[in-house]
Amino acid sequence: AQSVTQPDIHITVSEGASLELRCNYSYGATPYLFWYVQSPGQGLQLLLKYFSGDTLVQGIKGFEAEFKRSQSSFNLRKPSVHWSDAAEYFCAVGSNDYKLSFGAGTTVTVRA
Amino acid sequence: NAGVTQTPKFQVLKTGQSMTLQCAQDMNHNSMYWYRQDPGMGLRLIYYSASEGTTDKGEVPNGYNVSRLNKREFSLRLESAAPSQTSVYFCAGGGLYSNQPQHFGDGTRLSIL
């Protein structure tokens, strides 16, 4: 069965500093990988996705993620965070069969 | 352009009551989904509809039913609500370029007493 682990429940980062959120997955075949962001009181927004090809994926809002098959990881990064990046971030893994498995999420707090 | 719209946004029910959560999308998505979100557990798929006229069970379907009324609308029904169904429910649409959810509604916060 597929699963996702986000090891960090909560991360605090200073505005302007870099951010990296970890995601490890378990999947028997080539995975489809996703990162979503959720602002308080709202639904999830798709940041980026990986299906195949270049292992460094660019997304919206200045985020990128790197797929490392050898480490079963898909970490999300942003070089310089803004206060508006404070939110909860979810990693998800699946295939092209409509069923995604989501991690438990990482809450990001941005301090001035 | 409303995207994915869920109604109601909030609801309180008593145990045993029934309720239907409504979802409508105007993004021409082929697939639609219902998830529940509980603290520390991420999102779990309840049911999905790959296309108009089809529905399939997800990870946690017990206690729920769904209807894909047309391409735009996908409703979730609780026939006899239980306190364990207290959660935030999200509808999503997808299928534009992959069979995964692309756009989510803002959620329905449901409390069952």
Side-chain angles (χ1 to χ4, degrees), chain B residues 2-6 23-27 29 32 91-93 103-106:
Chain B
V4 179
T5 303
Q6 293 183 233
C23 175
Q25 54 100 1
D26 62 2
M27 308 186 79
H29 286 304
M32 296 185 74
C91 176
H103 299 100
F104 284 76
D106 287 339

Side-chain angles (χ1 to χ4, degrees), chain B residues 14-92:
Chain B
K14 294 181 179 179
T15 298
Q17 288 186 313
S18 61
M19 167 139 199
T20 299
L21 309 185
Q22 306 287 351
C23 175
Q25 54 100 1
D26 62 2
M27 308 186 79
N28 203 33
H29 286 304
N30 290 319
S31 54
M32 296 185 74
Y33 312 78
W34 275 105
Y35 290 89
R36 60 177 289 172
Q37 183 178 32
D38 302 292
M41 300 186 71
L43 274 73
R44 292 181 292 169
L45 182 63
I46 304 171
Y47 271 92
Y48 68 96
S49 169
S51 61
E52 183 179 353
T54 69
T55 60
D56 284 284
K57 295 179 180 179
E59 182 183 356
V60 288
N62 291 344
Y64 305 94
N65 285 300
V66 291
S67 295
R68 182 75 182 268
L69 305 172
N70 48 55
K71 188 170 186 178
R72 290 188 64 249
E73 298 173 289
F74 188 40
S75 62
L76 177 72
R77 183 162 177 83
L78 287 69
E79 291 290 352
S80 179
S84 61
Q85 295 177 304
T86 294
S87 187
V88 182
Y89 291 84
F90 288 99
C91 176

Side-chain angles (χ1 to χ4, degrees), chain A residues 32 34 36 38 40-46 49 51 88 90 94-105, chain B residues 31 33 35 37 40-45 48 50 57-58 90 97-107 109:
Chain A
Y32 286 28
F34 302 79
Y36 293 85
Q38 183 180 31
Q42 296 188 2
L44 279 68
Q45 181 180 23
L46 180 63
K49 60 189 182 296
F51 294 162
E88 190 163 18
F90 293 92
S95 67
N96 204 30
D97 67 351
Y98 307 97
K99 299 178 183 178
L100 282 186
S101 293
F102 285 82
Chain B
S31 54
Y33 312 78
Y35 290 89
Q37 183 178 32
M41 300 186 71
L43 274 73
R44 292 181 292 169
L45 182 63
Y48 68 96
K57 295 179 180 179
F90 288 99
Y97 44 78
S98 68
N99 295 329
Q100 284 85 23
Q102 308 298 328
H103 299 100
F104 284 76
D106 287 339
R109 285 146 186 82

